[in-house]
Amino acid sequence: SRTTESNKTTEDTKFVCQRATPLKHHNSKFTDALEILERHAVQITRIEEAAKLSSVGSHSKKVIQDILENGSSTEVQGIISSDFFKSMEIFSSIYGCGPATARKWYEKGYRSMADVIQAVSDGMKLTEQQAMGLKCYSDLVQPVPREEAINIKDIVVKELNTVQPNCTVELVGGYRRGKPSGHDVDILITHQDDDIVEGLLAKLVARLEKLGHMLHKDLMVGRNPHFENKNSYLKGVKGIADGNKRQGGHMDSLDHCFCMFQVGTTSESERLETTQASPESDKTGSCTDTCPGGSGGSAVRRVDLIVTPPKQFTFALLGWTGSKQFNRSLRDYAWKILKIKLSNHGMWDHNHVPPRQIEASSEQEIFDELKLEYREPQDRNA
Ligand code: ATP
Ligand code: MN
Ligand code: MN
């Protein structure tokens, strides 16, 4: 039954969410290799090649065994040193460039960033996101220190307060798990009133745009089935499930704005300091010279703003805190062991027909409901 399955000792826990996974763990040799394998699998989407990877379980086992016996995996080393993998890694490090575009460029014969820049000056079309990603490349590859993430959050809190007082704002993602730096800043927002939540993100974004903080935005609102089906619980469950399928993977349907954010212009001396601290910043053309918003400004950062209805906040908090691998394990465990569907929108017990929604007002309650020992965010670094 439920309890016996989840009360296992650390030696025989099948799911990562059943044990603590702090920032520094002892298995990085293996997880790093498996991550390469996974990234490579995502990059390969041709059917005949995907077929080779059909048995991922035994494939991973082979890699782990290889590392145990020889200190490293020949296969993973091979992938890392392959032309294809190297180019794919470079191209997909550009914001707005996914595996499909990266492969397209590879097949056109491009291998390096310089090849792509040349192609662009020869007239190759980029999406608006890719153009910005390339322009601000040297800024966006620099990790964001925690202090700066907190500063950005404080700006968001301040400006949000001018358009709508009494919101709840949380810095989520890696920082909430205790990481000292991250690749972006994830900020989760809610308000206790459903009617205020609808349309809140558009107001906030307009305000941040007016102040010049938004150099680029990818705003997606109005797809949350919670609002479409406010009066029909059943449709709500179905809508959320369908919505997830449409987008594939772990993407949710919460209102979000993925943007490029600039805190503001800094003094000339501060600018000099940052330039000296990052000598690479000249390689692809420093963003501060070329980005539309900045003439000697502070670094451009990726910021994710997410707004949730109050009832979904706890689930979004858990989901947007991550890690991605932890979420995956938690959802896998919830479904396989308990027949509970867990998402950033809520959880549904499928042992009932129709599925019964389980509410929760804290992360602790979600863990309790899942018969799992509670894990603090810093122990969710799977
Ligand atoms: P980093 O410090 O590199 O940013 P991170 O853990 O914060 O690492 P993110 O990619 O920013 O990684 O994602 C934060 C969390 O939010 C992850 O757990 C991820 O699963 C989740 N997440 C990210 N994007 C989405 C999305 N579109 N829909 C649902 N969940 C998402
Ligand atoms: Mn993040
Ligand atoms: Mn993010």
Side-chain angles (χ1 to χ4, degrees), residues 216-270:
H216 174 78
K217 69 171 198 295
D218 185 354
L219 179 66
M220 191 77 91
V221 296
R223 297 166 316 136
N224 194 331
H226 173 80
F227 291 115
E228 277 172 38
N229 305 290
K230 229 187 270 181
N231 303 316
S232 163
Y233 156 67
L234 251 187
K235 270 204 256 161
V237 173
K238 198 180 173 304
I240 286 168
D242 290 352
N244 284 344
K245 229 175 265 140
R246 243 196 329 274
Q247 292 159 53
H250 69 294
M251 299 283 278
D252 60 37
S253 302
L254 295 167
D255 285 2
H256 71 239
C257 184
F258 299 159
C259 56
M260 293 194 193
F261 190 100
Q262 196 170 36
V263 169
T265 50
T266 53
S267 72
E268 189 62 21
S269 62
E270 270 179 80

Side-chain angles (χ1 to χ4, degrees), residues 49-66:
E49 296 194 52
K52 282 191 235 154
L53 298 165
S54 59
S55 170
V56 172
S58 63
H59 192 189
S60 308
K61 254 181 233 157
K62 211 183 118 253
V63 168
I64 291 170
Q65 198 172 358
D66 212 9

Side-chain angles (χ1 to χ4, degrees), residues 3 33 72 78 109 126 135-136 171 173 263 290 358-359 380:
T3 34
S72 68
L126 295 176
K135 252 182 190 171
C136 301
L171 183 60
V263 169
T290 44
I358 307 169
E359 299 194 1
R380 301 180 204 157

Side-chain angles (χ1 to χ4, degrees), residues 2 237 315 318 327-343 346-352 355-360 365-372:
R2 286 179 169 198
V237 173
F315 296 95
L318 180 67
N327 287 346
R328 207 184 276 175
S329 165
L330 197 62
R331 283 160 201 206
D332 210 34
Y333 160 88
W335 181 245
K336 287 188 182 144
I337 306 297
L338 304 174
K339 260 194 128 200
I340 291 177
K341 258 206 175 107
L342 174 70
S343 79
M347 67 182 159
W348 288 267
D349 185 346
H350 283 251
N351 295 293
H352 300 272
R356 188 177 293 170
Q357 182 161 23
I358 307 169
E359 299 194 1
E365 282 177 35
I366 301 176
F367 280 83
D368 286 351
E369 209 54 64
L370 297 176
K371 316 274 181 239
L372 285 172

Side-chain angles (χ1 to χ4, degrees), residues 11-149:
E11 298 86 61
D12 62 357
T13 47
K14 201 169 126 206
F15 296 91
V16 155
C17 63
Q18 291 174 298
R19 52 181 189 268
T21 43
L23 261 179
K24 292 211 185 326
H25 58 92
H26 302 294
N27 298 323
S28 48
K29 210 162 69 175
F30 305 108
T31 50
D32 288 353
L34 294 176
E35 210 187 303
I36 299 279
L37 207 62
E38 191 193 337
R39 283 217 296 276
H40 189 61
V42 170
Q43 290 170 358
I44 297 171
T45 49
R46 283 201 208 85
I47 289 154
E48 70 271 22
E49 296 194 52
K52 282 191 235 154
L53 298 165
S54 59
S55 170
V56 172
S58 63
H59 192 189
S60 308
K61 254 181 233 157
K62 211 183 118 253
V63 168
I64 291 170
Q65 198 172 358
D66 212 9
I67 296 172
L68 283 172
E69 286 168 6
N70 312 313
S72 68
S73 154
T74 353
E75 189 194 349
V76 171
Q77 290 309 318
I79 291 173
I80 293 171
S81 59
S82 76
D83 246 24
F84 175 70
F85 186 79
K86 278 187 198 155
S87 304
M88 293 292 283
E89 288 287 294
I90 295 170
F91 300 157
S92 35
S93 72
I94 302 170
Y95 178 69
C97 178
T101 307
R103 210 180 48 249
K104 197 178 76 192
W105 291 348
Y106 180 84
E107 279 162 6
K108 281 185 174 179
Y110 311 150
R111 293 293 177 267
S112 65
M113 197 66 90
D115 292 346
V116 172
I117 291 168
Q118 184 59 51
V120 171
S121 63
D122 291 345
M124 180 171 77
K125 288 270 174 296
L126 295 176
T127 65
E128 199 192 315
Q129 283 177 359
Q130 290 160 358
M132 284 300 291
L134 204 55
K135 252 182 190 171
C136 301
Y137 187 79
S138 58
D139 274 7
L140 297 178
V141 292
Q142 298 293 326
V144 188
R146 170 181 289 274
E147 304 73 60
E148 199 181 324

